[in-house]
Amino acid sequence: NKFDEALTEVKKAVELWTEFKDSTSFSYAALLNYLSVCQMNANQMNDAVESSQRSISLLEKMPNKDMAKWTNLGTAYTNFAETLVKLKRFKDAITEELKGLKIIQKYNGDDTSPYLDELVSLQKYIKESGDEEDFYATRDGSCRLAGTQRKGVCFCRGSFKI
């Protein structure tokens, strides 16, 4: 199986990096993100959650983030969301997906084409959660998750707002 082969190789890379390089670096955080995706695809969900959380934690702590670091953090959040969906933790997945989308949107502005797949994923997560009606538009055009102050996402009338 290709996923098992990839998982073996990425695990080796993470182990070697830990042994010989700085395990607080951007490159190490990126490796952990790749590892989490391989673990998710190999159905090693607990390991995938742990690797995602470690990657995100390192990326969040990075000083002087440039576009590459911010983009990698956004991707780490959206990858983590995918793992959480497979665990049927929909509300957590939606939260993580929104974190990633906010970062990705920051660098792409109004042009949603670079992250349209993630918007489709978010909409799918909301539907799968069974809580579609919990997302509603506010007067200022943003959306909030019912019962919280946390901003959500609005797909009202074909538009998208975070």
Side-chain angles (χ1 to χ4, degrees):
N1 173 338
K2 295 285 184 199
F3 288 125
D4 291 334
E5 289 175 35
L7 177 59
T8 300
E9 295 304 314
V10 176
K11 272 185 181 176
K12 282 183 202 172
V14 168
E15 289 168 10
L16 288 170
W17 195 280
T18 304
E19 188 174 342
F20 297 108
K21 297 281 188 178
D22 179 5
S23 61
T24 62
S25 70
F26 171 71
S27 296
Y28 181 69
L31 274 175
L32 287 173
N33 186 28
Y34 295 136
L35 177 60
S36 72
V37 172
C38 291
Q39 290 165 327
M40 178 192 61
N41 286 310
N43 224 16
Q44 297 178 8
M45 304 311 283
N46 291 333
D47 292 337
V49 168
E50 182 183 327
S51 296
S52 287
Q53 289 173 327
R54 286 174 50 209
S55 175
I56 289 168
S57 177
L58 285 171
L59 289 165
E60 285 177 335
K61 293 175 189 169
M62 297 263 154
N64 306 317
K65 288 181 187 64
D66 58 16
M67 185 175 174
K69 288 176 185 168
W70 277 113
T71 303
N72 207 295
L73 178 57
T75 301
Y77 281 129
T78 60
N79 289 343
F80 187 31
E82 189 176 349
T83 298
L84 293 169
V85 163
K86 288 189 176 204
L87 291 168
K88 304 213 180 304
R89 291 174 49 190
F90 297 111
K91 288 195 188 244
D92 293 335
I94 291 165
T95 297
E96 298 304 313
E97 187 75 15
L98 284 169
K99 287 179 188 176
L101 279 169
K102 284 179 186 177
I103 292 169
I104 295 166
Q105 184 184 42
K106 176 180 175 181
Y107 285 98
N108 291 287
D110 292 335
D111 179 13
T112 59
S113 59
Y115 56 99
L116 192 56
D117 289 348
E118 291 303 332
L119 293 173
V120 171
S121 292
L122 179 60
Q123 196 167 28
K124 184 178 111 187
Y125 302 164
I126 292 169
K127 278 185 180 172
E128 287 179 17
S129 76
D131 293 331
E132 277 183 281
E133 59 280 348
D134 286 349
F135 285 83
Y136 65 94
T138 60
R139 283 188 205 163
D140 66 0
S142 67
C143 288
R144 295 199 183 272
L145 187 57
T148 72
Q149 290 301 309
R150 192 175 73 214
K151 283 198 174 192
V153 64
C154 185
F155 292 99
C156 310
R157 294 175 294 285
S159 65
F160 167 73
K161 289 187 182 232
I162 294 179

